[in-house]
């Protein structure tokens, strides 16, 4: 019996317009009325999940926000931290110092109400043959103000849940092995999108946070359904009692899922949830 539904955000719950479709919203609200709890599990920061949680009624029915690709989990009603494992300030500074070698990579960290970068005017990357303002997108979509720090290494004196880096996809693909080489045995380093490469504390992924959450709430993984589309969703989808890959997902995820549903723009989540509630 499914009692929990965990969902990735970008490429999964959100359509290509970065919105939750009316049909998917209705299906998820029906699921909550039927007693099923929702979990948003994303690489986004906690701040960037809250408005979507409210949009589908999670403030009313309860639920959990798993953010920073699994580095933090909070109760979306009370704000109680259910799980957290950040990089130490020293670990974060080491990554940021190493990243100075890669002139096309823009590191991003968040702290409080601000998203910190080294140059607020260096905003554009090349994506699918077009110019894309990644800094505006990242700050606006997650509810942050932009703040410039000439040297992030000197600035960071606090634990960091995630260091997000962005660049043209081709540059990241060509250099990500060098970027992660000094930290491959001490931190988790991964693509979370073709123009995003992230660093988190060692062993962090969505499954680790979900496992901690389920223990605190008395659920079993067999009672959880999980939806995803990316490489960082593979562990979650294969660990859940019923794992669902989006049609737009990566092949490695689809091959390990229990089911492949329709794409993000074809109400893939709604199709499965409606069948579950039938």
């Amino acid at each position: 019996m499914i009692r929990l539904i965990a969902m990735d955000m970008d490429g999964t719950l959100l359509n290509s317009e970065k919105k939750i479709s009316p049909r998917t919203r209705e299906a998820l609200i029906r699921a909550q009325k039927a007693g099923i709890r929702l979990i948003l599990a994303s690489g986004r920061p906690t701040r960037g999940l809250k408005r979507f949680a409210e949009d589908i009624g999670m403030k009313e029915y309860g639920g959990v926000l798993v953010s920073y690709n699994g580095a933090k989990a909070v109760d979306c009603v009370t704000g109680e931290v259910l799980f957290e494992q950040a990089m130490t300030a020293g670990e974060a500074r080491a990554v940021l110092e190493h990243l100075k070698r890669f002139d096309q990579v823009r590191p991003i960290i968040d702290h409080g109400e601000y998203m910190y970068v080294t140059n607020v005017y260096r905003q554009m990357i090349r994506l699918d043959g077009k110019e894309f303002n990644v800094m505006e997108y990242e700050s606006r979509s997650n509810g942050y103000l932009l703040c410039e720090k000439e040297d992030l290494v000197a600035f960071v004196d606090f634990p960091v849940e995630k260091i997000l880096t962005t660049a043209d996809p081709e540059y990241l693909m060509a250099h990500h092995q060098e970027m992660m080489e000094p930290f491959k045995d001490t931190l988790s380093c991964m693509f979370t999108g073709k123009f995003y490469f992230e660093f988190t504390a060692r062993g962090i992924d969505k499954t680790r946070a979900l496992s901690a959450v389920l223990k605190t709430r008395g659920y079993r993984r067999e009672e959880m359904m999980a939806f995803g589309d990316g490489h960082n969703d593979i562990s979650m989808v294969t660990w859940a009692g019923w794992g669902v890959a989006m049609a737009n997902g990566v092949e490695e995820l689809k091959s390990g899922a229990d089911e492949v549903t329709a794409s993000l723009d074809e109400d893939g989540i709604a199709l499965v949830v409606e069948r579950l509630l039938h």
Side-chain angles (χ1 to χ4, degrees):
M1 179 180 178
I2 298 299
R3 301 172 62 202
L4 289 167
I5 297 175
M7 298 165 288
D8 172 54
M9 295 290 293
D10 298 278
T12 303
L13 177 61
L14 304 182
N15 60 25
S16 57
E17 296 180 350
K18 299 299 180 182
K19 296 178 180 179
I20 302 172
S21 75
R23 181 177 177 181
T24 297
R25 181 186 299 109
E26 180 182 354
L28 293 173
I29 290 174
R30 282 181 55 209
Q32 290 173 102
K33 288 180 178 178
I36 297 173
R37 298 291 185 185
L38 302 184
I39 302 174
L40 301 185
S42 174
R44 288 179 180 238
T46 309
R47 190 182 187 92
L49 300 180
K50 290 180 179 179
R51 63 186 174 97
F52 296 108
E54 292 177 4
D55 189 31
I56 53 177
M58 290 174 65
K59 290 279 281 187
E60 179 180 355
Y61 295 102
V64 174
L65 307 178
V66 172
S67 53
Y68 300 107
N69 212 47
K72 191 172 186 177
V74 302
D75 184 300
C76 74
V77 177
T78 66
E80 177 190 1
V81 177
L82 306 174
F83 174 82
E84 186 171 21
Q85 186 178 342
M87 290 179 286
T88 66
E91 288 173 328
R93 286 195 296 267
V95 173
L96 292 166
E97 184 64 43
H98 178 64
L99 290 175
K100 291 178 180 179
R101 304 180 184 186
F102 305 91
D103 61 351
Q104 297 301 309
V105 171
R106 303 93 182 275
I108 302 170
I109 59 172
D110 68 86
H111 190 57
E113 297 181 356
Y114 291 90
M115 193 177 85
Y116 292 91
V117 297
T118 56
N119 186 342
V120 297
Y121 297 105
R122 196 177 177 210
Q123 301 174 341
M124 310 303 289
I125 63 171
R126 192 78 178 167
L127 181 64
D128 299 327
K130 300 177 182 178
E131 293 290 308
F132 175 61
N133 191 327
V134 66
M135 293 301 180
E136 179 183 18
Y137 170 74
E138 190 64 23
S139 60
R140 294 288 184 262
S141 64
N142 290 304
Y144 286 105
L145 298 172
L146 268 178
C147 185
E148 182 176 288
K149 293 292 181 180
E150 183 177 356
D151 186 0
L152 290 174
V153 176
F155 170 66
V156 170
D157 62 357
F158 48 85
V160 175
E161 279 88 2
K162 180 180 79 170
I163 296 173
L164 174 65
T165 73
T166 185
D168 293 356
E170 296 78 11
Y171 187 91
L172 283 182
M173 183 57 65
H175 293 89
H176 75 277
Q177 293 287 356
E178 300 167 69
M179 290 164 59
M180 67 181 283
E181 181 62 28
F183 314 104
K184 62 183 181 181
D185 297 322
T186 56
L187 298 174
S188 289
C189 319
M190 72 201 74
F191 276 101
T192 56
K194 59 185 178 180
F195 56 97
Y196 287 139
F197 191 78
E198 301 184 358
F199 297 83
T200 55
R202 184 179 183 181
I204 285 299
D205 61 15
K206 295 179 182 182
T207 299
R208 186 162 183 175
L210 288 168
S211 178
V213 168
L214 265 58
K215 287 179 182 177
T216 65
R217 298 302 170 91
Y219 292 104
R220 297 178 293 112
R221 68 180 182 89
E222 292 82 6
E223 298 173 312
M224 188 180 80
M225 175 180 283
F227 292 86
D229 75 297
H231 289 99
N232 60 323
D233 298 318
I234 292 174
S235 67
M236 173 176 76
V237 168
T238 55
W239 181 77
W242 190 257
V244 185
M246 307 298 289
N248 52 278
V250 298
E251 291 303 320
E252 297 93 326
L253 175 70
K254 290 192 280 189
S255 65
D258 297 295
E259 175 182 356
V260 178
T261 188
S263 75
L264 76 168
D265 287 323
E266 299 170 316
D267 292 305
I269 288 179
L271 290 171
V272 177
V273 173
E274 288 166 358
R275 187 186 70 215
L276 177 67
L277 298 175
H278 184 68

